[in-house]
Every structure is written in structure tokens, then in C-alpha cells.
Amino acid sequence: AQSVAQPEDQVNVAEGNPLTVKCTYSVSGNPYLFWYVQYPNRGLQFLLKYITGDNLVKGSYGFEAEFNKSQTSFHLKKPSALVSDSALYFCAVSSDPYNTDKLIFGTGTRLQVFP
Amino acid sequence: DVKVTQSSRYLVKRTGEKVFLECVQDMDHENMFWYRQDPGLGLRLIYFSYDVKMKEKGDIPEGYSVSREKKERFSLILESASTNQTSMYLCASSSLASGDTQYFGPGTRLTVL
């Protein structure tokens, strides 16, 4: 069965430091991977996705993610964190290679950036 | 910009009531989805639709039904609300033109007493 795991419930980082939010996946066939962010009292916003091609994907707000097939990971990164990056982050994977829309979401990681 | 709107931000209902949650998107997207979001569980897919009058069950359809009479509108129905349906409900839409990226509404926080 397809699944996605976010092993950390919360990540704390000081402003200006690099941040990493971890995601690992399990799918049969090729994975289609997404990151979304949820700010307080808001819906989810798309950050970036990996479908095929370059393993390093760049997205909105200076975020990037690296697809690592051997480690089945798709970690979200940012070189220098901002307080405004504090939010809930979700990793998602497609469960159906013929319908990339149908996503399985992780449980979410709360990022807290301290001034 | 894609806009997905949901009829209510907050809703309080009583056990046994019939509840309608409405979702409207303005970008002519073919695909629409209903999720519920619970702490520690992430988002779970309830139902989705790839076309008008078409629906497919997601991972947790029990206790819910949906209706899609028009392309832009996707309704989630709780036939007889129960306390375990207290949750945040999120609607999303997508299309091939959007590169399969799902766009989400602001969510409806439903409390069933």
C-alpha cells in the first residue's frame, strides 16, 4: 500500500538558520510527490512538486526539496528560515500512477521559527 | 488566481442533523475533492469527482455522501451528523491544465454537539 511518513511532529529552528522538514514515502511504481503549507486558519497552499526530471525541485517562498530515490525521501529545505515560515507542512504522494490527482497526505509537521 | 470557496468557515450542528457543506471553484477545474483534517492524522480523502454527476469513494466515505450537479460546485452531505464527524473539512480542485496541482479552499470547521 502507498504511504507517506513525516517522522517529526514539530521542528524548531532559529531565524536565519537552515531548515529541513523530512518526508519519506512508499509507493509501487514511480512516485509523484508534493509539499503543501498551511498557515493558521487557512487552507493548504501548494509549495512544490516532483513528477520527473531534476531531483532538486524549487518552489514558492524560497523552499526547495530533493527527491532521493534510493532513500525514498523528499525532504523540504530552505537555506535561511524566516519567522513567517512558521506553519504546518504536509508532504503528499500520489497513490495512483494513472491519476496523479489522488493524493495521500502525511500527518503534517509543525515548523516553528524563533526570532 | 484559482479561487476555491467554502460556504462556511465555522458550523455548529446537533447530532442527527443533516449537514450540507458547499464548495465552489471558479477555474473550470474537472476534478474536485473533499478531505477531513484531524490532528495527528493529516488529511484523509472522503470523496472525489472527476466530472459532473460523477463521484468516487475515497479512503473514509462512511457516513458521507456527495453531489456534483454542476462543474463548479461539489457538495458534501452528512446524512445524520455524529460527534465523531467533528473536524476541519477541506475542499480542493484541480485539472490537467493546473498540472494536477490541487488548490484548496479555506476549510470549514464543523462541530457536532
Side-chain angles (χ1 to χ4, degrees):
Chain A
Q2 286 83 2
S3 64
V4 60
Q6 294 181 244
E8 302 155 317
D9 290 335
Q10 180 153 332
V11 170
N12 299 317
V13 64
E15 188 174 31
N17 283 0
L19 69 87
T20 299
V21 183
K22 296 180 180 177
C23 173
T24 59
Y25 65 89
S26 173
V27 295
S28 54
N30 293 322
Y32 302 86
L33 296 154
F34 299 75
W35 275 102
Y36 285 82
V37 60
Q38 185 179 36
Y39 298 103
N41 299 315
R42 301 274 294 275
L44 273 68
Q45 295 180 33
F46 169 75
L47 273 180
L48 51 81
K49 67 182 177 184
Y50 172 83
I51 302 297
T52 187
D54 194 346
N55 289 344
L56 185 64
V57 180
K58 293 189 183 296
S60 306
Y61 311 121
F63 284 93
E64 59 188 27
E66 185 166 13
F67 170 62
N68 188 317
K69 188 173 184 178
S70 62
Q71 297 187 4
T72 62
S73 66
F74 189 57
H75 300 332
L76 182 70
K77 299 182 179 184
K78 188 174 182 180
S80 179
L82 299 172
V83 173
S84 58
D85 292 330
S86 299
L88 188 57
Y89 290 81
F90 289 96
C91 181
V93 64
S94 169
S95 64
D96 185 343
Y98 301 103
N99 288 290
T100 56
D101 285 333
K102 193 161 176 277
L103 298 175
I104 292 175
F105 284 82
T107 52
T109 298
R110 188 165 298 281
L111 173 66
Q112 189 70 49
V113 181
F114 294 95
Chain B
D1 280 351
V2 176
K3 191 169 184 181
V4 180
T5 58
Q6 294 183 229
S7 50
S8 305
R9 292 299 303 273
Y10 301 93
L11 207 54
V12 180
K13 295 292 181 180
R14 297 206 173 272
T15 302
E17 280 192 80
K18 190 169 186 176
V19 182
F20 292 87
L21 303 182
E22 305 286 342
C23 175
V24 177
Q25 50 93 4
D26 66 356
M27 285 301 292
D28 202 37
H29 284 175
E30 303 87 37
N31 311 316
M32 297 189 74
F33 307 82
W34 274 107
Y35 296 88
R36 63 176 285 175
Q37 181 183 2
D38 300 289
L41 297 177
L43 274 71
R44 292 178 291 168
L45 182 63
I46 304 172
Y47 267 97
F48 60 104
S49 169
Y50 286 142
D51 203 351
V52 176
K53 295 190 184 296
M54 176 272 179
K55 61 185 178 183
E56 288 196 32
K57 293 180 180 179
D59 300 317
I60 52 164
E62 296 79 17
Y64 303 94
S65 62
V66 290
S67 172
R68 193 162 180 205
E69 295 297 318
K70 294 184 178 181
K71 189 175 185 179
E72 68 270 18
R73 188 180 296 270
F74 193 36
S75 303
L76 180 69
I77 304 157
L78 287 65
E79 295 289 342
S80 178
S82 63
T83 55
N84 63 11
Q85 292 179 310
T86 292
S87 186
M88 170 70 87
Y89 289 88
L90 294 170
C91 175
S93 71
S94 74
S95 73
L96 288 177
S98 73
D100 298 328
T101 299
Q102 292 190 19
Y103 294 89
F104 283 81
T108 295
R109 186 166 295 281
L110 173 67
T111 301
V112 182
L113 302 175

